[in-house]
């Protein structure tokens, strides 16, 4: 019941039932539900926090560095902005002019965000206090652009495309891109190391490559046996020492970014992982699965992993981290989920396609997931990456890629 699927809601409802009961004799079931919910939360795993926020049929999303806003890119080439405090859409929807939005990211300085999509165009929007200015075309290519990433100084953007190029686009100057790497085939994912000194990319054959930036010299030979098909997601640990990958073959791997040494698969073969992201701790890896659940594992710890209750009815397809936050997206259930040490109440559920997300307070972390066919998302709360109770303050019902 609720104790397993939504323990925070179960805790809230049980407490209300006990408080309003006319006799202690009628509170047995409520006490059982309360105890079960506390036991679920005590495992330290992520737990849903609240109701979804309407955000359309999302393909991608990104959380601003200050955690106050979420931009959502949709299949319909629309960009929407959500206020994380009010859980409301801000202003009007923006036409992205790039076809279906495949990826969207805030710049690390929070002053702009970029998006790429089916039409091979790179678009940049200025951003200030939740308001997006007029977009500018940073550049165009001849085929789909699957992913983009900003460097740590917000001075360039790197893209990965179906034309087999990893391109560097300067945000100032003549705007002309240079090709950092090329292959016969495609590149499906790309990421900057946190200090900006190297770039990693994955391709449709399941290979992973990395180059020094800005020289373009290979960091290590192409890794050809990590995955068997498209590498859709890459995530560096906070210190840049480790690189996590996720492939459409359902596997996730961890690589030493400096040497290319493959440490092995991060999760069991049957997990069917769709996306990964390192948590702020640096050695804790979050992964979204085909069953709509989120898993956490500490790298090097063979004692097991923590799994959330199901937050989506369809696969989680994307997990993105911005500083101390994570954003996840689900291809078939537009939604976003969040984690935090202190959970605040969220707005009531809105009708229509939904996204789940969280309201962050203090040193909280957000984690989000958008979806597609049955768009829904939830917030998640946790106290520590591994065993220990999830202590929340006033956790109540309240509640967000391809």
């Amino acid at each position: 019941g609720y104790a397993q699927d939504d323990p925070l809601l179960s805790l809230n409802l049980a407490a209300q039932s006990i408080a309003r009961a006319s006799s202690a004799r009628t509170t047995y079931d409520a006490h059982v539900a309360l105890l079960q919910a506390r036991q679920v939360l005590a495992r330290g795993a992520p737990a849903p926090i609240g109701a979804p926020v309407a955000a359309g049929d999302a393909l991608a999303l990104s959380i601003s560095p200050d955690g106050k806003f979420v931009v959502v890119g949709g299949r319909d080439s629309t960009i929407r902005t959500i206020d994380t405090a009010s859980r409301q859409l801000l202003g009007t929807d923006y036409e992205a002019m790039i076809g279906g939005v495949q990826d969207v990211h805030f710049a690390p300085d929070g002053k702009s965000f970029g998006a790429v999509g089916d039409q091979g165009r790179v678009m940049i929007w200025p951003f200030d206090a939740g308001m997006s200015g007029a977009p500018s075309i940073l550049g165009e290519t001849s085929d789909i652009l699957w992913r983009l990433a900003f460097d740590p100084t917000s001075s360039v953007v790197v893209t990965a495309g179906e034309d087999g190029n990893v391109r560097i686009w300067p945000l100032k100057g003549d705007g002309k891109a240079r090709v950092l790497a090329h292959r016969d085939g495609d590149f499906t994912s790309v990421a900057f190391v946190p200090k900006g000194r190297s770039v990693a990319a994955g391709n449709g054959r399941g290979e992973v490559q990395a180059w020094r930036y800005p020289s373009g010299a290979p960091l290590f030979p192409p890794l050809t046996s990590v995955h068997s098909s498209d590498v859709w997601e890459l995530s560096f640990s906070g210190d840049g020492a480790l690189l996590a990958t996720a492939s459409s073959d359902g596997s996730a791997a961890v690589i030493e970014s400096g040497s290319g040494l493959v440490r092995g698969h991060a999760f069991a073969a049957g997990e069917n992982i769709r996306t990964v992201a390192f948590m702020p701790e640096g050695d804790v890896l979050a992964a979204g699965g085909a069953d709509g659940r989120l898993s956490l594992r500490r790298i090097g710890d063979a004692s097991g992993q923590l799994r959330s209750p199901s937050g989506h009815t369809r696969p989680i397809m994307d997990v993105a981290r911005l500083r101390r936050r994570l954003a996840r997206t689900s291809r078939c259930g537009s939604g976003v989920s969040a984690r935090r040490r202190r959970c605040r109440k969220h707005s009531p559920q809105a009708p229509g396609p939904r996204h789940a997300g969280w309201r962050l307070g203090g040193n909280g972390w957000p984690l989000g997931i958008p979806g597609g066919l049955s768009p829904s998302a939830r917030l998640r709360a946790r106290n520590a990456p591994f065993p220990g109770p999830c202590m929340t303050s006033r956790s109540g019902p309240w509640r967000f890629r391809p």
Side-chain angles (χ1 to χ4, degrees):
Y2 279 133
Q4 295 295 326
D5 296 335
D6 200 339
L8 289 178
L9 177 59
S10 178
L11 196 68
N12 185 290
L13 294 177
Q16 290 186 41
S17 177
I18 293 170
R20 296 175 180 178
S22 57
S23 170
R25 298 178 181 178
T26 63
T27 63
Y28 176 80
D29 289 341
H31 276 95
V32 170
L34 188 148
L35 179 59
Q36 291 176 335
R38 287 176 63 88
Q39 288 175 333
V40 171
L41 292 173
R43 299 171 190 166
I49 294 177
V53 175
D57 190 4
L59 285 174
L61 60 80
S62 182
I63 302 175
S64 61
D66 60 9
K68 295 180 179 180
F69 305 100
V70 173
V71 290
V72 181
R75 298 176 187 271
D76 58 356
S77 188
T78 298
I79 297 288
R80 299 174 175 89
T81 306
I82 297 173
D83 183 307
T84 61
S86 67
R87 301 294 191 212
Q88 301 297 316
L89 290 169
L90 295 178
T92 58
D93 297 345
Y94 297 93
E95 168 57 47
M97 299 179 288
I98 57 175
V101 180
Q102 294 295 336
D103 202 11
V104 60
H105 275 291
F106 270 102
D109 62 11
K111 297 180 180 179
S112 64
F113 65 86
V116 295
D118 296 345
Q119 296 180 2
R121 192 175 294 137
V122 186
M123 301 293 293
I124 302 295
W125 283 260
F127 192 82
D128 183 26
M131 301 303 294
S132 303
S136 60
I137 300 176
L138 187 60
E140 297 185 63
T141 66
S142 60
D143 212 332
I144 298 172
L145 288 175
W146 294 112
R147 297 289 186 269
L148 85 160
F150 285 84
D151 79 312
T153 64
S154 303
S155 59
V156 301
V157 169
V158 61
T159 60
E162 189 69 19
D163 62 0
N165 290 312
V166 172
R167 288 184 169 92
I168 302 293
W169 306 81
L171 291 173
K172 296 181 179 180
D174 58 15
K176 293 182 179 180
R178 75 178 181 93
V179 176
L180 183 71
H182 174 79
R183 66 179 295 269
D184 294 330
D186 58 7
F187 279 108
T188 53
S189 55
V190 70
F192 259 109
V193 73
K195 293 183 180 180
R197 297 173 182 173
S198 61
V199 173
N203 63 46
R205 295 180 60 182
E207 301 170 343
V208 178
Q209 298 174 252
W211 307 268
R212 298 185 188 280
Y213 178 77
S215 70
L219 268 179
F220 46 77
L223 305 178
T224 59
S225 59
V226 181
H227 302 289
S228 60
S229 61
D230 312 79
V231 178
W232 284 115
E233 299 295 339
L234 300 172
S235 177
F236 280 100
S237 59
D239 60 4
L242 299 176
L243 173 66
T245 65
S247 167
S248 58
D249 64 11
S251 65
V254 176
I255 300 166
E256 293 184 4
S257 62
S259 64
L261 176 65
V262 181
R263 289 200 176 184
H265 287 259
F267 298 89
E271 291 290 328
N272 200 358
I273 300 302
R274 299 300 183 91
T275 183
V276 293
F278 271 104
M279 296 291 286
E281 292 89 341
D283 61 347
V284 176
L285 188 63
D291 59 358
R293 296 175 184 269
L294 186 71
S295 297
L296 297 178
R297 179 182 290 277
R298 189 179 297 278
I299 303 302
D301 184 352
S303 61
Q305 67 189 54
L306 297 174
R307 284 170 56 80
S308 73
S310 181
H312 297 272
T313 58
R314 299 297 181 109
I316 294 172
M317 299 302 296
D318 192 17
V319 179
R321 184 189 72 172
L322 287 176
R323 295 184 181 177
R324 302 176 63 188
R325 303 170 178 78
L326 290 177
R328 317 175 294 176
T329 64
S330 163
R331 183 172 296 277
C332 297
S334 310
V336 175
S337 308
R339 305 164 181 263
R340 33 178 284 171
R341 294 188 175 107
R342 293 183 179 178
C343 310
R344 294 183 182 175
K345 213 181 257 189
H346 297 289
S347 59
Q349 176 172 329
R354 302 180 292 277
H355 279 70
W358 4 193
R359 163 116 166 92
L360 298 182
N363 52 9
W365 305 327
L367 182 61
I369 306 175
L373 300 181
S374 59
S376 66
R378 291 173 176 267
L379 294 182
R380 304 177 179 276
R382 59 189 283 277
N383 185 38
F386 283 86
C390 175
M391 304 301 292
T392 63
S393 60
R394 292 187 294 183
S395 306
W398 246 83
R399 253 219 199 193
F400 353 144
R401 184 187 151 191

